[in-house]
Amino acid sequence: MLQTRVDSGLDGVIVADTVMSEVDGEAGRLTVRGHGLQELVANRGYEGVAALLWEGYGKGGGDESAVREGLAAARVHAYALVPRLLAASAGLSPVEALRVGLGMLPDTDPTPHHFLVCGALPVFLAALLNVRRDLPAVAPDPSLTTAQDLLRMIRGQRAGEAFEKGLDTYLATVADHGFNASTFTARVVASTHAGLISAVLAGLCALKGPLHGGAPGPVLDMLDEIGEADRAEGWFDEAFATGTRLMGFGHRVYKVRDPRADVLKAAVARLPSTAGRLAFAAEVEKGAIAALRKHKPGQRLETNVEYYTALLLEALDIPREAFTALFAAGRVAGWCAHIFEQEKGGRIIRPQSNYVGPRPNLAA
Ligand code: ACO
């Protein structure tokens, strides 16, 4: 018989087995294909994590150099689409423009589609940021990694090891994270056999929301509004009193600190001239916790990945309106892995709802 208990937000509902990643919300641990997050990002860059995620599906997975070559070739291929993208996306934000860009990729493109989407997003993003500054698009360099090339295409020259490593750590850290909203969305679309490009486009649309991947830009807006560390607690008092959501705080699964926050905080600390900003951010965190204790005693609220994402991307000189688009350029590797897994063994995802509307009068 159909159960009628509604699990709002699918809280705690398990919808699939996966080998991709596990989010342990009680212990604050993220495991990606058998590797703990800290160990993973210490030993692998973005291409290495993508190769790991894609292993076992015959898509170049398991072989980091094949992945690196596939992504580099796809970046060169996608660059040919940049003039059309720029013409079609005038006036759109970077993430809205990426939606257009993914929509332009034909299902018939002979490039393996996971390489195509993962190669296209950084190329499109760099060109979109350049046109906003009245700069020409910069062609990709296939000898570089995704992170190296993305920063080079944005800056017009190599950014230097510290910055390239910072971006690589970011892309690797956010590549996969269990059944988050965008990954689940991508899997729903993949379950209909609509194809990888459509599934990735759907994932991007889910990521765009401020409760998911749209949070880091507003984190910086919040830090700007707070301005001085000694104003933080008062600012949060007001936020709790008015029911304002604290951006970069809270998580559905983590009951303790999001482990990605610490990995990204360490990555910020490795960049030059960030000590003052980090100290301010730490004071703001303390202000939020102090205000939380007063307004919602007993409730936990920790910073999530987006809080230190904001500081890292700011230190990399990425404009805040591009943060969500950059998140997509990392998470896309995970979406592809989940799409492979879904396509290989999954059934069409088709849950049911509990009808609470009026019913026809069958007796009449
Ligand atoms: N600020 C203030 N209160 C919060 C916040 C927050 N950021 N997050 C949760 N709460 C409170 C809620 O008000 C609620 O309190 P109540 O029980 O007194 O009513 C309680 O915590 C539970 O909140 P829910 O909305 O039910 O939690 P849910 O699991 O649905 O939401 C979410 C998770 C969307 C991430 C939420 O914490 C949030 O809105 N955070 C801010 C946006 C953000 O940073 N998003 C990025 C998340 S990480 C990612 O997706 C990559």
Side-chain angles (χ1 to χ4, degrees):
M1 204 181 110
L2 183 64
Q3 66 153 47
T4 53
R5 186 173 61 87
V6 175
D7 292 293
S8 162
L10 298 182
D11 207 343
V13 176
I14 294 171
V15 293
D17 290 328
T18 182
V19 298
M20 295 307 164
S21 57
E22 180 185 58
V23 180
D24 182 337
E26 300 294 334
R29 255 198 304 266
L30 170 61
T31 302
V32 179
R33 296 207 75 164
H35 300 265
L37 176 67
Q38 282 79 358
E39 176 252 313
L40 183 77
V41 297
N43 296 312
R44 291 171 194 254
Y46 175 68
E47 276 78 2
V49 172
L52 181 70
L53 284 166
W54 299 344
E55 196 168 345
Y57 295 92
K59 313 275 186 182
D63 180 347
E64 185 175 337
S65 54
V67 167
R68 188 173 159 158
E69 275 171 34
L71 294 181
R75 287 200 302 279
V76 173
H77 180 64
Y79 186 65
L81 291 170
V82 163
R84 263 181 64 207
L85 169 67
L86 296 181
S89 62
L92 299 182
S93 72
V95 72
E96 289 168 334
L98 286 190
R99 210 171 52 190
V100 173
L102 286 177
M104 280 169 30
L105 302 177
D107 283 344
T108 49
D109 195 301
T111 309
H113 287 180
H114 57 304
F115 288 144
L116 181 62
V117 291
C118 294
L121 287 180
V123 170
F124 290 171
L125 175 57
L128 289 161
L129 291 180
N130 288 349
V131 79
R132 293 163 88 84
R133 294 175 294 154
D134 289 326
L135 295 172
V138 174
D141 177 345
S143 71
L144 301 179
T145 66
T146 300
Q148 291 167 341
D149 207 15
L150 176 51
L151 280 182
R152 189 193 62 87
M153 288 186 286
I154 294 172
R155 295 181 177 206
Q157 58 184 16
R158 289 288 293 270
E161 204 183 332
F163 292 95
E164 292 171 352
K165 175 84 183 122
L167 181 59
D168 197 38
T169 299
Y170 171 69
L171 297 175
T173 300
V174 302
D176 198 44
H177 197 244
F179 261 53
N180 59 85
S182 57
T183 298
F184 181 54
T185 304
R187 287 190 72 132
V188 170
V189 176
S191 84
T192 71
H193 295 186
L196 184 140
I197 296 170
S198 300
V200 163
L201 174 55
L204 175 78
C205 294
L207 186 79
K208 176 175 168 291
L211 298 190
H212 187 14
V219 167
L220 288 190
D221 298 340
M222 179 181 79
L223 294 180
D224 285 352
E225 267 187 51
I226 293 170
E228 304 287 337
D230 57 8
R231 291 186 49 208
E233 194 174 332
W235 193 93
F236 288 117
D237 280 336
E238 173 80 15
F240 281 114
T242 54
T244 307
R245 291 246 148 176
L246 318 186
M247 300 315 275
F249 287 82
H251 198 273
R252 169 63 63 79
V253 183
Y254 290 120
K255 304 302 169 215
V256 294
R257 202 168 161 82
D258 181 337
R260 299 168 300 172
D262 289 328
V263 167
L264 296 184
K265 185 177 182 182
V268 182
R270 286 193 291 271
L271 291 173
S273 315
T274 52
R277 190 68 165 153
L278 274 176
F280 169 63
E283 288 304 312
V284 169
E285 266 193 82
K286 278 190 208 155
I289 302 309
L292 177 78
R293 285 208 186 100
K294 275 184 269 169
H295 295 267
K296 296 193 169 185
Q299 199 175 94
R300 290 204 66 140
L301 197 62
E302 300 273 356
T303 49
N304 58 45
V305 65
E306 302 291 43
Y307 192 75
Y308 285 101
T309 288
L311 296 176
L312 178 58
L313 300 188
E314 176 187 58
L316 295 175
D317 216 12
I318 305 289
R320 65 185 74 177
E321 69 270 19
F323 287 1
T324 308
L326 191 58
F327 189 173
R331 179 56 58 83
V332 65
W335 292 334
C336 291
H338 280 271
I339 292 164
F340 297 155
E341 190 176 51
Q342 182 66 41
E343 286 177 340
K344 193 168 178 186
R347 299 170 68 206
I348 187 166
I349 297 175
R350 203 306 186 187
Q352 297 204 40
S353 53
N354 182 36
Y355 179 69
V356 294
R359 296 185 188 278
N361 183 355
L362 296 177

